[in-house]
Amino acid sequence: MPVFYKTLDACLDALPLQSGMACSFHHHLRNGDGVLNQVCAALEARGMRDLHLYPSSIFPVHAPLADMIRRGTVSHLTTSYINGPVAEALGEGALKGTLRMQTHGGRARAFKEGDNQVDIAFIAAPAVDRDGHASGTLGPTACGSLGYALSDVAHARIKVLVTDHLVDTLDTPQIDGAAIDAVVVCESLGDPRGILSGTTAPTRDPIGVKIARQAIEVMDAAGMIYEGFSYQSGAGGISLRATQLLEQSMVTRGVQASFFSGGITGMHARMLAAGRVQKLYDVQCFDLEAVKSLASHPDHHAISADAYANPANPERIIKNLGTVILGATEVDLAFNVNVTTDSYNTIIGGSGGHADTAEDAALTLIVTPLLKARIPIVREQVTTMTTAGAHIDVIVTERGIAVNPRRKDLMSKLQAAGCDLVDLPSLLARAHALSGPPKTWESKGRKIGIVEGRRGEIIDTLFGKVAIP
Amino acid sequence: MRRSYLFIPGDVPRMLQNLDVFDADAVIIDFEDGVHPDQKEAARQLTRAFLKHHATRDVAVFVRVNAWEEAAWFQEDLACLSGSPLSGIVLPKAHPKHLTDVVFALEEAGLPMQIVALLETPEVFFHALELAKHPAVSGLLLGGEDLTQALGVPRTSAGDEILFARSTLVYAAKAFNKEAIDTPFTTVDDRDGLLADAHKANALGFTGKAAIHPNHIHDIHVAFAPSVEAIETAERILRRSETLKSMRFSLDGKMVDKPVVERARALLLRAAASRRR
């Protein structure tokens, strides 16, 4: 039975705090999260230094963390995604210690295998009952699934729930109070508007629409739309359009999918309600409609990051995944994909589940315009490796579809279906014909961190931001 | 015969740069109503530079120049396009009385002699045959919006108000084996409406349809592609005709004669062309 505290300070008074300790956070509150900022500010006020943070992701709302890094309050960072001012600070080389970028599945594995050692997990919990059970589907800051927090609950030495919504009893908690040491009741976990920032509308941009249509044509030609198939896509505009087109194709054929997995949107929830798919395996909700569905639909299941994508978990959901549609910031001639940095080394994201799903899915599609803001996406070599080309099957652009040569089976199916196939060097040439070749830099800058593969292996190095001449 | 003609404003670089990725059979770079008078020169220069430096893949490129009556703009359009690798021009407010002068201007500018005549006034539909007959005219395009404005009637989704114009245009074009191109569907996000409109155009005998949004191209092609059932029937008609060495026989209780056999042959040719694209 956890101890309940009326303030964060009262809880911190009771915890064995020390400089150099490791604290973890989850990102289900996304760009509305107020918990990481509150806790870190309180720790800094108590003179803590050299903290090692393990937030599952970092968003622009975590801007105060940038200065804490510069001041040395935070010296080490292990995470799966970084976007915003913290990335800027890291690019400046402000972090004194190590920066490790992990995949979502790799983070779960690292907790389980002891690679990630966390002293205190501060877990934002939208609703907590009197026994310390927690749920993400209730309360003013309801965010749905708490899938990424469950590794922290299972493996951190001390587990603290932070909530702004106490209830008597939770019927279907996602976190068992028996595992929790303390509960802090605060005024607010954050800004609900930012929590729901994960999804966009299906793109209406003609290039995005064409790419989405081609992606579904590739799925069709590859024989991946059939009774009982499975599917995952992101919440970006092209992915949502692809999912919309997939639904039309499913209706035409009269087929039902077995499951959709990963981040879940209202569109997925509507397809579940309409009987297009049997189950949703939800590791994070991207919008309120998905949250409501998780709270009410019996076949909408919240799952942990471990159950979702831990490569060491033989029962992981994505091991049975048919098709995944993913994005890219850069793609190179070896089919390697970068979604971690831009071409100037600035961190703009991270793997999340990219490398996990790419490796496990039977068919991995990358959807991307050939140019973004007049910069070619296809390059001779990616600036940063996020996902190895060995795990990418097809790259779909508006100017052609490239199939990984190791997938000769796919090549012949797509050729037979009349898909607009092209090899990557030709796509590169097309991009350069439109925009000119991008500038390159001799100096890579200072080393600022590493990119880990799913199993903890180092797959690339992160460098400081390149000064544009 | 081209199934789709996509209008692209001449003063929007991103649209120009991507004009060959939207899968239209033809694009019409617009210098006329889609471009503000202050931007017309920018559109000319941008288009000229684009056509000079970028090869376009698998798409016929037309320019809708300004109307002959807008003499200064028309002349400036042609002067700027001189020598550009165009398939032809779209001539707004087309009228047979201007054709000789337009052809002469095209010759002077070194532009190809291929004119898609845009019919958008009530009067011109009584001269549609003259337009279609002209050797420089490759097709007739219906301008439904300007036409209904001139008629003083609202455009409706059913399209009864332009039925006479549609049929007149189709008859004239077919009389001289020219392209009959239907007016664009102007609601961007109404897929059902677009498909219904395009199917109607196909059923009336149009060979293709114009579009004002790239997202319409796919559905226009769907509507103008022969259906699987129609292809199967056409194949059975031709097989039976060849087996019997006859163009007059009965199939599924219906009489087949020479026009039916020839229509089946034309449909299969159209289907094959659709697949090649």
Side-chain angles (χ1 to χ4, degrees), chain A residues 110-285:
Chain A
F111 270 94
K112 213 168 181 175
E113 296 181 351
D115 290 350
N116 288 359
Q117 296 272 350
V118 168
D119 296 301
I120 308 175
F122 292 96
I123 299 151
V128 176
D129 72 12
R130 61 187 170 207
D131 295 321
H133 302 313
S135 168
T137 58
L138 299 172
T141 46
C143 60
S145 175
L146 296 173
Y148 295 121
L150 299 181
S151 294
D152 311 42
V153 171
H155 302 289
R157 277 185 277 281
I158 299 170
K159 281 83 77 168
V160 178
L161 297 182
V162 183
T163 189
D164 56 4
H165 189 64
L166 273 180
V167 297
D168 276 349
T169 309
L170 287 171
D171 292 335
T172 52
Q174 294 169 37
I175 293 173
D176 186 346
I180 300 302
D181 300 293
V183 176
V184 175
V185 183
C186 66
E187 250 183 47
S188 170
L189 296 185
D191 179 356
R193 292 168 300 177
I195 295 167
L196 304 173
S197 64
T199 193
T200 56
T203 186
R204 295 175 63 243
D205 172 71
I207 290 178
V209 170
K210 177 176 179 180
I211 293 167
R213 183 180 299 118
Q214 290 183 137
I216 300 307
E217 286 169 0
V218 167
M219 272 183 78
D220 185 8
M224 298 303 286
I225 307 173
Y226 54 89
E227 183 64 27
F229 78 102
S230 56
Y231 171 79
Q232 181 170 332
S233 72
I238 295 178
S239 290
L240 289 178
R241 176 64 76 166
T243 305
Q244 202 175 53
L245 294 169
L246 174 64
E247 182 175 17
Q248 290 171 10
S249 176
M250 292 166 70
V251 171
T252 304
R253 292 154 185 267
V255 299
Q256 185 189 39
S258 57
F259 72 86
F260 295 163
S261 55
I264 298 299
T265 68
M267 187 180 290
H268 297 112
R270 286 194 294 278
M271 289 174 75
L272 176 69
R276 311 259 185 263
V277 55
Q278 289 170 11
K279 291 179 192 305
L280 299 181
Y281 293 121
D282 183 343
V283 73
Q284 66 174 326
C285 293

Side-chain angles (χ1 to χ4, degrees), chain A residues 144-459:
Chain A
S145 175
L146 296 173
Y148 295 121
L150 299 181
S151 294
D152 311 42
V153 171
H155 302 289
R157 277 185 277 281
I158 299 170
K159 281 83 77 168
V160 178
L161 297 182
V162 183
T163 189
D164 56 4
H165 189 64
L166 273 180
V167 297
D168 276 349
T169 309
L170 287 171
D171 292 335
T172 52
Q174 294 169 37
I175 293 173
D176 186 346
I180 300 302
D181 300 293
V183 176
V184 175
V185 183
C186 66
E187 250 183 47
S188 170
L189 296 185
D191 179 356
R193 292 168 300 177
I195 295 167
L196 304 173
S197 64
T199 193
T200 56
T203 186
R204 295 175 63 243
D205 172 71
I207 290 178
V209 170
K210 177 176 179 180
I211 293 167
R213 183 180 299 118
Q214 290 183 137
I216 300 307
E217 286 169 0
V218 167
M219 272 183 78
D220 185 8
M224 298 303 286
I225 307 173
Y226 54 89
E227 183 64 27
F229 78 102
S230 56
Y231 171 79
Q232 181 170 332
S233 72
I238 295 178
S239 290
L240 289 178
R241 176 64 76 166
T243 305
Q244 202 175 53
L245 294 169
L246 174 64
E247 182 175 17
Q248 290 171 10
S249 176
M250 292 166 70
V251 171
T252 304
R253 292 154 185 267
V255 299
Q256 185 189 39
S258 57
F259 72 86
F260 295 163
S261 55
I264 298 299
T265 68
M267 187 180 290
H268 297 112
R270 286 194 294 278
M271 289 174 75
L272 176 69
R276 311 259 185 263
V277 55
Q278 289 170 11
K279 291 179 192 305
L280 299 181
Y281 293 121
D282 183 343
V283 73
Q284 66 174 326
C285 293
F286 281 128
D287 55 36
L288 195 57
E289 206 177 338
V291 175
K292 283 180 182 164
S293 168
L294 178 62
S296 60
H297 200 294
D299 289 320
H300 187 159
H301 303 284
I303 58 169
S304 69
D306 174 56
Y308 165 53
N310 176 0
N313 180 351
E315 303 300 321
R316 63 190 181 279
I317 296 290
I318 59 172
K319 199 175 172 192
N320 298 313
L321 181 58
T323 301
V324 66
I325 294 181
L326 299 165
T329 307
E330 294 177 336
V331 176
D332 72 18
L333 296 180
F335 283 78
N336 299 314
V337 174
N338 172 22
V339 290
T340 304
T341 67
D342 66 12
S343 303
Y344 307 107
N345 288 342
T346 302
I347 298 171
I348 54 165
S351 173
H354 198 286
D356 299 308
T357 50
E359 181 177 333
D360 278 348
L363 175 64
T364 298
L365 305 182
I366 300 295
V367 291
T368 178
L370 188 58
L371 304 173
K372 285 182 190 168
R374 289 182 292 168
I375 295 172
I377 299 304
V378 179
R379 305 173 71 87
E380 291 189 11
Q381 191 171 14
V382 288
T383 305
T384 306
M385 168 93 80
T386 307
T387 300
H391 303 141
I392 305 298
D393 298 312
V394 183
I395 293 166
V396 183
T397 78
E398 78 280 17
R399 290 182 183 273
I401 297 167
V403 180
N404 194 322
R406 72 180 177 78
R407 291 298 308 265
K408 290 190 173 54
D409 57 325
L410 268 183
M411 189 93 75
S412 55
K413 286 178 181 171
L414 269 52
Q415 260 166 353
C419 292
D420 179 19
L421 300 186
V422 62
D423 59 31
L424 274 179
S426 300
L427 264 185
L428 182 71
R430 285 179 192 176
H432 288 185
L434 289 165
S435 68
K439 287 179 181 170
T440 55
W441 291 268
E442 287 298 319
S443 167
K444 281 197 149 186
R446 176 186 159 188
K447 179 182 168 182
I448 62 162
I450 56 166
V451 181
E452 292 183 4
R454 307 176 70 189
R455 295 165 187 81
E457 73 281 17
I458 296 173
I459 61 169

Side-chain angles (χ1 to χ4, degrees), chain B residues 2-233:
Chain B
R2 301 178 182 105
R3 299 162 296 174
S4 56
Y5 279 79
L6 172 64
F7 279 100
I8 282 180
D11 58 344
V12 180
R14 184 169 182 266
M15 292 295 284
L16 279 177
Q17 186 181 49
N18 290 305
L19 62 76
D20 58 349
V21 305
F22 300 129
D23 297 332
D25 291 340
V27 294
I28 302 169
I29 300 172
D30 193 11
F31 286 1
E32 200 221 13
D33 285 353
V35 178
H36 189 275
D38 293 347
Q39 291 299 311
K40 288 196 187 285
E41 186 55 23
R44 290 185 194 108
Q45 296 304 327
L46 201 59
T47 300
R48 180 180 172 80
F50 174 78
L51 293 173
K52 186 176 175 187
H53 295 293
H54 294 275
T56 51
R57 288 199 305 159
D58 303 330
V59 64
V61 179
F62 289 76
V63 171
R64 176 163 75 168
V65 295
N66 286 281
W68 170 256
E69 288 94 333
E70 300 283 358
W73 281 347
F74 179 86
Q75 294 299 339
E76 287 168 27
D77 291 346
L78 261 54
C80 187
L81 292 170
S82 177
S84 296
L86 290 181
S87 296
I89 65 160
V90 172
L91 182 66
K93 308 281 189 299
H95 197 287
K97 67 187 178 189
H98 302 141
L99 276 181
T100 305
D101 291 329
V102 169
V103 165
F104 182 69
L106 287 174
E107 262 177 1
E108 275 203 322
L111 289 167
M113 236 15 91
Q114 194 173 166
I115 299 168
V116 172
L118 180 51
L119 284 69
E120 47 191 343
T121 62
E123 189 228 343
V124 80
F125 286 90
F126 297 96
H127 300 282
L129 273 174
E130 293 167 68
L131 282 169
K133 188 177 180 181
H134 196 286
V137 171
S138 62
L140 305 182
L141 166 58
L142 173 59
E145 298 305 310
D146 280 11
L147 176 62
T148 47
Q149 190 184 359
L151 291 171
V153 297
R155 274 287 275 126
T156 66
S157 53
D160 290 345
E161 69 283 358
I162 58 169
L163 181 58
F164 171 77
R166 276 175 152 166
S167 296
T168 302
L169 186 152
V170 167
Y171 276 66
K174 292 289 172 82
F176 293 97
N177 196 29
K178 302 291 175 72
E179 288 185 300
I181 307 154
D182 190 32
T183 189
F185 185 74
T186 54
T187 307
V188 174
D189 286 326
D190 176 8
R191 183 166 189 249
D192 291 342
L194 168 64
L195 278 168
D197 198 49
H199 278 298
K200 175 178 264 185
N202 188 28
L204 285 170
F206 282 96
T207 55
K209 187 170 176 65
I212 44 86
H213 196 285
N215 291 352
H216 288 184
I217 298 301
H218 177 79
D219 290 327
I220 288 174
H221 289 183
V222 168
F224 276 86
S227 68
V228 173
E229 295 77 20
I231 291 170
E232 284 172 359
T233 303

